[in-house]
Amino acid sequence: MELHPVPGLVLLIPGGWIDEDVGVVEGPFVPSGFVVPLALTTEQFRLEPLGPQHNDSDYEAWSSSVEHIHMTPGWETSSWPDDRSVMDNLRDLQAHADDFENRAGFTYTVLDLATGDVIGCVYIYPDHSEQHDARVRSWVRASRPELDVQLWRAVTNWLADEWPFQRVAYAERADGA
C-alpha cells in the first residue's frame, strides 16, 4: 500500500516515532525506469543502502555523536538524534530499508573503507516544498569530522551526475578541506 501524506496529519511510523520528514507527495519520488544506485565509493568511504544489518555499528556511530550531528548543517533543528534504544534503532533502519525498496526515499550508510564501520549516513527524501525535487541530509560521526565536507562534495557530485533531480536541497558546508 502506498501512503500519500495529507497536510495537517501526523504519521506515526513503526516504533512509535513521528516522521518529521513527511510531506505531500504527488507521483513517484523517482521515475519508474530510474535505476537507483546501490553504491558510491571514494578513497575514504563507501555508501551502501542502510539496513538492519548495520544496526549495532549505526547505533554506536550516531549515539556517540549526538552533539556533533546537531551542529552539522541541515540537522540544527532536527529532533533526531534522540534517546532511542538499540531495538528502536533497528525498527528505524528497517523503515529506511522499506522506503528504499519502495522507492519512497533512499538512506545510505557511510562505511569506512578500511574497517567497514559505520561513520555516517546520507538521507535522500522528497522535499516538503515545491522548490526542490529532493532534500538531502548527511552526517558523519564525531570522531571523523574531517569527512563531512568530503562526503558533502561526493554526494553533491553523485546527485548531479547519476540522479534524476534538478533541484536538490542539501545544506552547504564551509570549504575547510
Side-chain angles (χ1 to χ4, degrees), residues 53-65:
Q53 70 275 20
H54 301 110
N55 192 44
D56 291 339
S57 186
D58 176 75
Y59 184 83
E60 197 283 320
W62 70 256
S63 66
S64 66
S65 306

Side-chain angles (χ1 to χ4, degrees), residues 3 11-13 23 33 42 44 49 67 71 80 82-83 88 105 114 118 122-123 140 143 154:
L3 295 177
L11 178 64
L12 196 60
I13 62 173
T42 72
Q44 293 83 20
E67 285 185 39
M71 294 186 311
W80 185 89
D82 52 26
D83 62 355
D88 289 333
V118 172
V122 175
Y123 307 81
V140 296
S143 63

Side-chain angles (χ1 to χ4, degrees), residues 35-103:
V35 177
V36 177
L38 295 180
L40 170 66
T41 303
T42 72
E43 292 181 11
Q44 293 83 20
F45 49 79
R46 173 181 166 79
L47 275 63
E48 66 180 45
L50 178 68
Q53 70 275 20
H54 301 110
N55 192 44
D56 291 339
S57 186
D58 176 75
Y59 184 83
E60 197 283 320
W62 70 256
S63 66
S64 66
S65 306
V66 173
E67 285 185 39
H68 176 74
I69 294 169
H70 279 291
M71 294 186 311
T72 300
W75 292 99
E76 302 90 344
T77 61
S78 177
S79 61
W80 185 89
D82 52 26
D83 62 355
R84 70 186 62 190
S85 70
V86 175
M87 288 308 298
D88 289 333
N89 193 65
L90 180 62
R91 284 188 283 276
D92 188 50
L93 297 191
Q94 184 60 58
H96 283 300
D98 293 346
D99 284 348
F100 203 105
E101 184 177 333
N102 296 324
R103 300 167 65 91

